[in-house]
Amino acid sequence: MSVKYDHKEIELRWQAEWEEKSAFAARPGQGEKYYCLEMFPYPSGKIHMGHVRNYSIGDVLARFLRMRGMNVLHPMGWDSFGLPAENAAIEHSIHPAKWTHENIAFMRRQLKRMGLGFDWTREISTCSPEYYKWNQWIFLKFYEKGLAYKRRSTVNWCPGCSTVLANEQVEEGLCWRCASAVEAKDLEQWFFRITDYAEELLDFTHKLPGWPERVLVMQRNWIGKSMGAEVSFPVDGSDEVIRIFTTRPDTLYGVTFMTLAPEHPLVERITAKDTLEEVRSFVKEVVREKKGAGAAALEKLDKKGVFTGAFCVNPLTGAKVPVYVANFVLMEYGTGAVMAVPAHDQRDFEFARAYGLPVKVVINPRGKTLEAESMEEAYVGEGILVNSGPFDGMLNTDAVDAIIDHLEEEGVGRRSINYKLRDWGISRQRYWGCPIPVIYCKACGTVGVDLEDLPVVLPEEVRLTGTGRSPLESAGEFVNTVCPRCKGEARRETDTMDTFVDSSWYFLRYLSPGDDKKPFEKEDARYWMPVDQYIGGIEHAVMHLLYARFFTKALRDLGLHTLDEPFKNLLTQGMVCKETARCGDHGFLSPGEVTGDGKCGVCGAAVEFGAVEKMSKSKKNTIDPDGIIERYGADTTRLFSLFAAPPEKDMEWSAEGVEGSYRFLGRVWRLVTENALLLEDTTTYDEGKDPSLDDSPPLKDLHRITHGTIKKVTGDIEKRFHFNTAISSIMELVNAVYALVRGDSFNNPVGAKVFRESVETVVLLLAPFAPHITEELWQRLGNETPLYKSKWPVLSEDALVKDEVTLVVQVNGRVRAKVVVPVDSTDDDVKEAVMKDARVAEWAGGKELKKFIHVPGRLVNLVVR
RNA sequence: GCCGAAGUGGCGGAAUUGGUAGACGCGCUAGACUCAGAAUCUAGUGGGCGCAAGCCUGUGGGGGUUCGACUCCCCCCUUCGGCACCA
């Protein structure tokens, strides 16, 4: 008697049941809390395999911990403001709101079809006024505290997206989203003062043991802390002073020239009359090169400079050194001026050699004397100071502090710290975002909207042209308003916020999703925060994860909660990849464009296979989850996405692998349905009450394997997130059960009980991975309580104990025999047993036993000569 | 250039503390069932030699530590990721 595994019918039925019962709603206050969160999706249209993997990982964890008795919060929402909605509006004449809401509806259905156990009662969407009202509220609190401010600045302008980008959103001079060359543009912009938190953000990268080291390293590099000194170099024959920042004050006596950034304000003021023309044209050229460098930023520009005709004075030595303008000096970092020490800095060295400038050695490696003339590269290592006045003979690492102290005493410099981190520019000249709640009044100036007037609702009627002006400027009714202070005529800010603002605190909104008095309830935050496990892509290592950390600290300082860090543990999942097909003439080909015998469907040329790359439309190697779910079911799709690789590593999608997972579920299905009568007729083996298994080794083995699997799967899920090995050990258990099913071991009352125990265990252990089929089988096993309310199997340590163990016997490190000994054998017992073995005698007989090594339960190694 | 991660069968991957390398799955081979196929089941499957028992060899390359190394140490190679004029 067999029943077909109808995955679709089973999955839809159980999904309806979970939906109806709100099976996965979190209820604060009951049991130990666990906040499991995956990065919420942008509603781009439909889910892709990256989503499938991300949410499958989170759901396994959430379901597992629920079965372990924890009160799990596992919410879902939508990062629903953003540029694609606007582009769709321009291309297809559909309102961004409509496009977004349709996408959300579609993707929500897809996620539910995946059987993901989310608490849908807490669903949020960042484009809803109920959500972005609190964005605006937070903005105003930041503004009040000076954490939000406006200034004119040179910004990264993406001509493709017609908007400003944050520094974090520029990759190698290109837009992170559309890869257009980023241009410089002067604009009035709102900023968040994330630099106020640079030190704390950096400090806490050392206090997040649950984060992957590489993410922490990336954040540290991004924050880019450098310790050193700021030093003043007076300009000779002028009142002007050039301030420089250096991390190498120990080399101050070796300065032989000075370099300024082309944009440095002093350039115009100190340049000699007769060189002004030359300097100006150089500056122009550099600016032009920098603008054009966007696309070709991979190639570093040649180091170039021009002498200004001016000299400045080294405050320690009194030496006059020439001042150059150089294309490699950045105005944005430090002070825009760099002292040059060619003997001990490679870039300065190259510049000095190119322009015939002197090289002065001030540090000698131990036991060596450097000759400036014959040096072929700068010496950047440690050593002893020379030519450095009172500091001669000092170790350079000690001289750093000594010289800074000296600078401070003389009043010509001070200790200083620099960060690469810049303040976060959040203004975007786009429509589909959160309006910045600010009003400009001729009389009162810049005024924040009153909190009672929030939200500032995004108007529906605007002209979207994508030309670079803020679309909101065209919405007259929105723009023209009255000043909250003087009630006079005023205009609204027409820029919207970077969507990364929306995602910087959404994890807090899930805690109190309906609250209309505050962004979130302090008590809820106290209970649920921090997020115990956050799961998402590595691409957010710097941007989102740094912004969210900043928000958490800033909101703490506003008194909204008391937490330092939002995410206790972070799992960065690998990418979903697939083999590409490529034709020399026609580029990447989709499977449909390749003929049956591996030729290009267009030209018939041989197709190149083998390159495994991240799934992407441009590579034509995507797999649509819908098709897989339709054909194999959500359980198979989830199972395979977890089985193919450990979660933090890239995985390769393979059609055959999916088949394998499907076959496995079929095996489990048949194990229960084909043995329904046997299973119905019995109860689970109970170690305490039922007869001992000592008389039946096969049953005792299976009982032990069953509990070994419980131990292995539990550990793999909770300690290591190694879902792939968890699944394979469940497969091993299934194989072990099948090995006995065809014999007669189970055809007796005790055998049936052991059989039922192992089958129930398979179903329970598999439940987090494949929740539908297991729910169905659980019911078919006659259980009244649905599986989603059931407990994880309990491990019996007693069951794990073996009577005998097989020891591997090595002679001189090579395996030569195996012996079976009682588990409690002493070294001497083992030695006796080993020596009796015929194979051992063959290899070790008649030779001198130098050493006898016994690793209990594992092996024996005889060292003989 | 700097920082980080990784290199294991035909493929995805396993080996948790230095203790039988290749679990589990895919693929492949042979067989059973079938009119046939699909599905399913059984057996085999790192490489070399051998009828076999078995022997040798094998985790990117070279050296080292150890009774014993995929695992620890040193050098090198390759691949991937991040940062990249940061003073």
Side-chain angles (χ1 to χ4, degrees), chain A residues 166-316:
Chain A
N167 291 321
E168 290 83 346
Q169 294 163 347
V170 181
E171 296 172 347
E172 294 184 333
L174 307 179
C175 171
W176 71 299
R177 181 191 294 285
C178 73
S180 305
V182 172
E183 298 168 359
K185 196 166 179 171
D186 260 6
L187 278 181
E188 285 269 315
Q189 293 286 297
W190 283 96
F191 287 86
F192 283 159
R193 215 179 284 280
I194 190 172
T195 52
D196 271 11
Y197 288 87
E199 191 59 43
E200 194 191 336
L201 287 167
L202 180 66
D203 186 33
F204 270 86
T205 61
H206 299 283
K207 299 174 186 169
L208 290 168
W211 283 43
E213 186 60 22
R214 61 177 179 147
V215 173
L216 296 172
V217 167
M218 278 155 87
Q219 294 215 350
R220 275 174 218 141
N221 290 342
W222 191 262
I223 295 166
K225 182 181 185 178
S226 292
M227 294 200 276
E230 213 173 278
V231 187
S232 298
F233 285 65
V235 177
D236 189 40
S238 141
D239 297 336
E240 305 284 2
V241 171
I242 300 174
R243 283 170 43 249
I244 61 100
F245 171 74
T246 181
T247 55
R248 294 294 304 274
D250 52 320
T251 63
L252 246 169
Y253 284 80
V255 173
T256 58
F257 60 101
M258 174 66 65
T259 50
L260 298 180
E263 308 90 329
H264 200 291
L266 278 179
V267 171
E268 280 284 323
R269 284 190 257 154
I270 64 169
T271 300
K273 276 211 179 69
D274 50 339
T275 51
L276 193 56
E277 199 74 1
E278 196 191 340
V279 169
R280 278 183 179 160
S281 79
F282 175 80
V283 168
K284 250 193 209 158
E285 191 192 321
V286 172
V287 169
R288 205 185 56 234
E289 269 185 352
K290 276 194 176 170
K291 260 197 170 168
L298 297 173
E299 214 70 41
K300 267 187 215 165
L301 298 171
D302 284 340
K303 308 224 172 340
K304 281 190 299 193
V306 62
F307 180 42
T308 59
F311 290 83
C312 65
V313 179
N314 185 325
L316 294 189

Side-chain angles (χ1 to χ4, degrees), chain A residues 60 635 638-639 642 713 717 723 726-727 730 765-771:
Chain A
V60 167
D635 283 337
R638 294 166 56 122
L639 189 71
L642 297 165
V713 173
I717 296 178
F723 305 131
I727 293 165
I730 300 172
L765 296 180
L766 196 57
F769 304 95

Side-chain angles (χ1 to χ4, degrees), chain A residues 23 39 73 98 139 148 248-249 264 286 313 331 345 409 418 485 603 616 619-620 636 650 682 689 704 751 796:
Chain A
M39 292 179 184
L73 173 59
K98 187 165 188 288
F139 176 94
R248 294 294 304 274
H264 200 291
V286 172
V313 179
M331 194 59 219
D345 178 280
E409 281 159 25
N418 257 280
R485 278 197 206 147
C603 66
S616 75
K619 301 263 170 69
K620 295 195 180 179
T636 295
D650 290 351
T682 188
K689 293 187 195 136
R704 193 185 61 246
S796 157

Side-chain angles (χ1 to χ4, degrees), chain A residues 528-766:
Chain A
W528 285 113
M529 289 297 285
V531 172
D532 292 276
Q533 186 64 53
Y534 198 30
I535 306 164
I538 185 72
E539 66 272 20
H540 293 108
V542 175
M543 288 194 264
H544 164 58
L545 289 168
L546 189 65
Y547 295 148
R549 294 182 57 217
F550 158 60
F551 255 62
T552 301
K553 292 171 190 302
L555 295 176
R556 173 200 64 196
D557 293 345
L558 287 171
L560 269 69
H561 63 78
T562 55
L563 197 81
D564 293 323
E565 287 285 338
F567 312 124
K568 187 171 173 205
N569 296 294
L570 174 69
L571 177 74
T572 49
Q573 108 236 11
M575 297 180 298
V576 182
C577 302
K578 194 172 177 304
E579 189 177 45
T580 56
R582 187 183 189 129
C583 164
D585 292 330
H586 298 97
F588 290 107
L589 304 174
S590 66
E593 292 167 322
V594 180
T595 62
D597 55 347
K599 300 273 165 51
C600 172
V602 185
C603 66
V607 173
E608 254 183 77
F609 296 97
V612 177
E613 299 193 62
K614 180 181 180 178
M615 280 189 186
S616 75
K617 281 184 192 145
S618 60
K619 301 263 170 69
K620 295 195 180 179
N621 63 342
T622 56
I623 297 284
D624 183 6
D626 275 351
I628 303 290
I629 292 170
E630 179 64 28
R631 185 156 162 205
Y632 298 101
D635 283 337
T636 295
T637 309
R638 294 166 56 122
L639 189 71
F640 176 68
S641 76
L642 297 165
F643 180 60
E648 70 279 6
K649 286 178 68 175
D650 290 351
M651 70 165 280
E652 187 185 338
W653 190 269
S654 98
E656 295 80 12
V658 178
E659 290 275 356
S661 294
Y662 184 68
R663 274 204 287 264
F664 169 65
L665 291 182
R667 259 166 88 73
V668 175
W669 176 261
R670 291 190 301 275
L671 189 61
V672 176
T673 56
E674 288 175 1
N675 297 289
L677 290 176
L678 181 58
L679 290 160
E680 265 169 33
D681 231 26
T682 188
T683 53
T684 292
Y685 180 73
D686 184 329
E687 240 168 41
K689 293 187 195 136
D690 290 322
S692 154
L693 301 174
D694 283 346
D695 297 336
S696 175
L699 292 179
K700 191 164 186 186
D701 282 346
L702 181 60
H703 180 58
R704 193 185 61 246
I705 292 168
T706 298
H707 283 269
T709 307
I710 294 172
K711 185 173 186 173
K712 165 85 175 147
V713 173
T714 307
D716 276 354
I717 296 178
E718 77 183 355
K719 291 205 196 89
R720 310 198 303 166
F721 301 127
H722 279 202
F723 305 131
N724 55 332
T725 52
I727 293 165
S728 61
S729 59
I730 300 172
M731 288 173 170
E732 287 181 77
L733 175 56
V734 170
N735 292 344
V737 179
Y738 264 109
L740 294 190
V741 142
R742 269 161 245 285
D744 61 358
S745 298
F746 298 145
N747 295 333
N748 59 75
V750 179
K753 284 171 182 289
V754 174
F755 177 52
R756 188 176 168 104
E757 181 191 36
S758 58
V759 169
E760 278 195 353
T761 303
V762 165
V763 170
L764 288 165
L765 296 180
L766 196 57

Side-chain angles (χ1 to χ4, degrees), chain A residues 399-644:
Chain A
V400 171
D401 270 326
I403 291 181
I404 296 175
D405 289 343
H406 183 58
L407 287 167
E408 290 185 340
E409 281 159 25
E410 299 290 313
V412 292
R414 59 184 179 82
R415 231 170 223 91
S416 173
I417 292 173
N418 257 280
Y419 299 92
K420 285 190 226 173
L421 184 70
R422 304 269 80 98
D423 276 339
W424 174 14
I426 61 144
S427 295
R428 295 292 180 273
Q429 295 67 43
R430 302 300 314 209
Y431 165 66
W432 194 235
C434 171
I436 294 174
V438 166
I439 290 168
Y440 301 107
C441 167
K442 280 205 181 89
C444 311
T446 304
V447 184
V449 171
D450 280 343
L451 294 180
E452 304 81 70
D453 293 340
L454 296 181
V456 176
V457 176
L458 198 56
E460 276 200 29
E461 295 301 320
V462 288
R463 265 204 321 280
L464 298 174
T465 57
T467 54
R469 304 280 293 174
S470 292
L472 287 179
E473 286 178 16
S474 70
E477 282 185 30
F478 174 82
V479 177
N480 300 313
T481 185
V482 290
C483 171
R485 278 197 206 147
C486 70
K487 308 299 171 199
E489 267 182 39
R491 290 175 61 81
R492 283 189 194 280
E493 167 68 61
T494 54
D495 283 353
T496 52
M497 294 183 207
D498 183 0
T499 54
F500 277 97
V501 175
D502 312 346
S503 54
S504 290
W505 69 281
Y506 76 106
F507 45 90
L508 290 161
R509 185 65 184 168
Y510 282 134
L511 310 182
S512 328
D515 199 324
D516 58 0
K517 302 284 185 297
K518 301 182 211 64
F520 56 90
E521 200 58 58
K522 199 170 182 174
E523 272 311 306
D524 289 333
R526 195 193 307 282
Y527 177 72
W528 285 113
M529 289 297 285
V531 172
D532 292 276
Q533 186 64 53
Y534 198 30
I535 306 164
I538 185 72
E539 66 272 20
H540 293 108
V542 175
M543 288 194 264
H544 164 58
L545 289 168
L546 189 65
Y547 295 148
R549 294 182 57 217
F550 158 60
F551 255 62
T552 301
K553 292 171 190 302
L555 295 176
R556 173 200 64 196
D557 293 345
L558 287 171
L560 269 69
H561 63 78
T562 55
L563 197 81
D564 293 323
E565 287 285 338
F567 312 124
K568 187 171 173 205
N569 296 294
L570 174 69
L571 177 74
T572 49
Q573 108 236 11
M575 297 180 298
V576 182
C577 302
K578 194 172 177 304
E579 189 177 45
T580 56
R582 187 183 189 129
C583 164
D585 292 330
H586 298 97
F588 290 107
L589 304 174
S590 66
E593 292 167 322
V594 180
T595 62
D597 55 347
K599 300 273 165 51
C600 172
V602 185
C603 66
V607 173
E608 254 183 77
F609 296 97
V612 177
E613 299 193 62
K614 180 181 180 178
M615 280 189 186
S616 75
K617 281 184 192 145
S618 60
K619 301 263 170 69
K620 295 195 180 179
N621 63 342
T622 56
I623 297 284
D624 183 6
D626 275 351
I628 303 290
I629 292 170
E630 179 64 28
R631 185 156 162 205
Y632 298 101
D635 283 337
T636 295
T637 309
R638 294 166 56 122
L639 189 71
F640 176 68
S641 76
L642 297 165
F643 180 60

